[in-house]
Amino acid sequence: MENTKFTQGNWNVSKHGNNDSFGIYADGSGHDFAIVKGGNEEGGEAEANSKLIAAAPSLLDCCIDTLRILELSPTLDNLYQRNKLRAAINKAIN
């Protein structure tokens, strides 16, 4: 993704302390750029939220690619999906 303002690279999750919080970091950065707190056990809500956040760059890439494919043959049948993808992409990058 070109011209993006967010942290580039693959995002990963690290456990903090006794699993009461999880960090999100980019490969090679050496530090967390976000912390998700939840005060729950491993495999709980805080860890699940962290994994979802860490997947964001990959999910955004997939949304952009899928929108490009749908726009190659726009139809009324895929108009709803195209609009939904555009809205999600805009929410992520604007």
Side-chain angles (χ1 to χ4, degrees):
M1 284 170 279
E2 298 173 21
N3 300 321
T4 55
K5 295 178 184 176
F6 59 82
T7 303
Q8 297 299 297
N10 293 320
W11 293 3
N12 303 287
V13 175
S14 62
K15 288 191 247 184
H16 287 218
N18 59 355
N19 297 327
D20 63 344
S21 63
F22 297 84
I24 297 44
Y25 66 95
D27 284 347
S29 70
H31 66 282
D32 294 332
F33 61 83
I35 304 290
V36 176
K37 296 184 178 190
N40 56 21
E41 72 286 343
E42 186 173 357
E45 186 176 341
E47 185 177 14
N49 289 340
S50 298
K51 288 178 178 180
L52 179 59
I53 292 166
S58 297
L59 293 169
L60 179 58
D61 254 350
C62 285
C63 286
I64 291 169
D65 289 346
T66 301
L67 181 59
R68 286 181 183 146
I69 290 167
L70 290 174
E71 286 178 335
L72 288 175
S73 55
T75 66
L76 285 178
D77 291 339
N78 70 23
L79 178 62
Y80 175 74
Q81 293 303 328
R82 286 184 285 137
N83 288 338
K84 224 171 131 174
L85 283 167
R86 271 191 211 97
I89 293 166
N90 286 332
K91 184 175 182 179
I93 62 175
N94 292 321

